[in-house]
Amino acid sequence: MDRLDAMHMFVRVVETGSFTKVAQEFSTTQPTVTKQVAAMEARLKVRLLNRNTRGVSMTEAGALYYEKCKIIVNDVAEAENVVKVRQTHVQGQLRIGSSVAFGRRVLIPLAMEFMKQNPQVQVDLSFEDRYTDLVANGIDVALRLGKLADSSLGARMLGINPWVLVASNTYLRKHGTPRRPSDLKEHSTLIYSSVQGNDIWRLRNASGEPVSIPVTGRLRSNNLSALLAAARSHMGIAALPRYVAHDSLKDGRVVEVLKTCRLHEQEIHAVYPSPRLVPQKVQSFIAFLQGKFDDAWWEDLPRGG
């Protein structure tokens, strides 16, 4: 077995927490996977994983090695996918899932572009704010925001989804402009219940230190468009994904609050039912998405989508 295969096994052991699951994925035995990781540790002269009855965990050296191995494994997979996509005719139905706001504002124009490039593909879009079982719902690939919990899924990180605090100038003239995170306690906030259900906003101050601020407000919603509309109607300060607020910021209907602070950022992943034997139509779509979420990607969205 070559070094790249061993790296791939190591990455999957970290992600699944199980030598047995990885053995099943690679159609081999658990002792074989264990020997590969042990040989890797012997070659590097450092312990990468701690093993106990509760499972496996990374050592400090293991965590560093995992991050590098993951990049290498993903880059090799991407290089192979690019070649396959160019050489293989893509066709058939592709079922794509997403959250409602991200799907409406971001995924729809991307899906239309992909369909124009691949006229033999039929796309079925499914938007839900709760995480759905991909297999049970027949989803070929889903775009998900945030940390991934289910390590049995195949996944490819595509980029970052930053958030921003916004309010209207009218609201700020009446109630004052926050100068530091603690000032938010004195303001009416517009709370996104799907993420901020505990009424705590977490951000980093100008010095980069994490700060947790309890907030209150008259309006909460699981719909981001509703919170943006409320902010534009001078009802308070909203924490929104930048792609949601971008047009209104550009128009001046809202302005950014606490620019020197940084809210949490969500990872954007394409996830699919299994990391093994990925269908060509899914590989093609993921290859298409690569590079679509670089830098200030929200500025390239169709206006008012």
Side-chain angles (χ1 to χ4, degrees):
M1 186 174 295
D2 64 28
R3 188 171 297 182
L4 181 61
D5 286 339
M7 285 182 176
H8 197 177
M9 282 188 175
F10 170 70
V11 167
R12 291 302 294 155
V13 168
V14 171
E15 292 175 345
T16 64
S18 169
F19 285 84
T20 301
K21 288 182 180 179
V22 175
Q24 292 171 350
E25 286 183 15
F26 285 80
S27 300
T28 187
T29 63
Q30 182 267 332
T32 298
V33 178
T34 301
K35 288 178 182 177
Q36 287 298 318
V37 174
M40 187 179 293
E41 291 175 324
R43 186 178 69 253
L44 297 171
K45 295 183 173 60
V46 64
R47 178 174 290 278
L48 300 172
L49 298 174
N50 293 314
R51 296 98 159 152
N52 55 46
T53 56
R54 295 187 299 274
V56 298
S57 61
M58 291 182 289
T59 63
E60 183 177 359
L64 293 171
Y65 194 60
Y66 165 76
E67 292 299 329
K68 296 296 184 182
C69 286
K70 187 174 181 180
I71 292 171
I72 292 169
V73 169
N74 285 343
D75 283 348
V76 170
E78 183 179 346
E80 293 179 348
N81 287 342
V82 168
V83 173
K84 289 177 182 177
V85 168
R86 290 181 65 88
Q87 294 180 339
T88 305
H89 194 60
V90 183
Q91 59 184 353
Q93 185 183 67
L94 179 65
R95 296 205 66 200
I96 309 172
S98 169
S99 62
V100 176
F102 192 84
R104 181 183 64 82
R105 187 73 180 90
V106 181
L107 180 55
I108 287 176
L110 289 175
M112 299 303 104
E113 182 182 349
F114 181 72
M115 292 174 71
K116 290 176 183 177
Q117 294 180 12
N118 299 275
Q120 298 301 312
V121 172
Q122 301 89 46
V123 170
D124 183 342
L125 298 175
S126 178
F127 300 155
E128 287 194 59
D129 283 333
R130 62 183 179 85
Y131 276 11
T132 58
D133 186 313
L134 300 188
V135 175
N137 289 276
I139 302 295
D140 295 306
V141 59
L143 271 66
R144 289 185 174 173
L145 307 178
K147 294 289 185 181
L148 296 181
D150 187 351
S151 60
S152 68
L153 298 174
R156 178 64 58 84
M157 184 172 170
L158 302 174
I160 295 295
N161 177 40
W163 286 55
V164 62
L165 292 173
V166 301
S168 70
N169 276 317
T170 299
Y171 172 86
L172 296 174
R173 281 194 296 268
K174 183 175 181 180
H175 299 280
T177 299
R179 302 298 178 188
R180 58 187 66 84
S182 58
D183 294 344
L184 292 171
K185 297 176 184 177
E186 309 303 322
H187 284 267
S188 177
T189 56
L190 307 167
I191 298 171
Y192 183 44
S193 55
S194 293
V195 172
Q196 300 146 351
N198 59 358
D199 299 348
I200 300 289
W201 283 2
R202 294 175 175 83
L203 58 160
R204 292 186 179 274
N205 62 23
S207 301
E209 300 166 333
V211 181
S212 297
I213 305 297
V215 294
T216 58
R218 294 172 56 203
L219 177 67
R220 67 171 57 233
S221 175
N222 65 351
N223 185 278
L224 292 167
S225 296
L227 300 179
L228 175 60
R232 293 193 307 203
S233 297
H234 328 305
M235 293 185 64
I237 300 174
L240 299 170
R242 190 172 282 275
Y243 77 84
V244 172
H246 176 66
D247 286 352
S248 295
L249 285 167
K250 197 169 183 178
D251 288 345
R253 298 188 66 179
V254 295
V255 295
E256 189 172 349
V257 177
L258 291 174
K259 287 185 178 182
T260 59
C261 297
R262 193 176 82 237
L263 273 73
H264 68 284
E265 296 179 335
Q266 295 172 306
E267 296 177 353
I268 305 171
H269 289 93
V271 298
Y272 35 98
S274 171
R276 305 288 290 173
L277 300 176
V278 182
Q280 183 58 48
K281 60 186 178 181
V282 174
Q283 294 183 32
S284 180
F285 184 60
I286 293 173
F288 163 79
L289 292 175
Q290 292 292 324
K292 298 294 186 182
F293 298 98
D294 293 341
D295 302 322
W297 56 266
W298 51 88
E299 294 182 356
D300 296 327
L301 294 174
R303 189 167 180 79

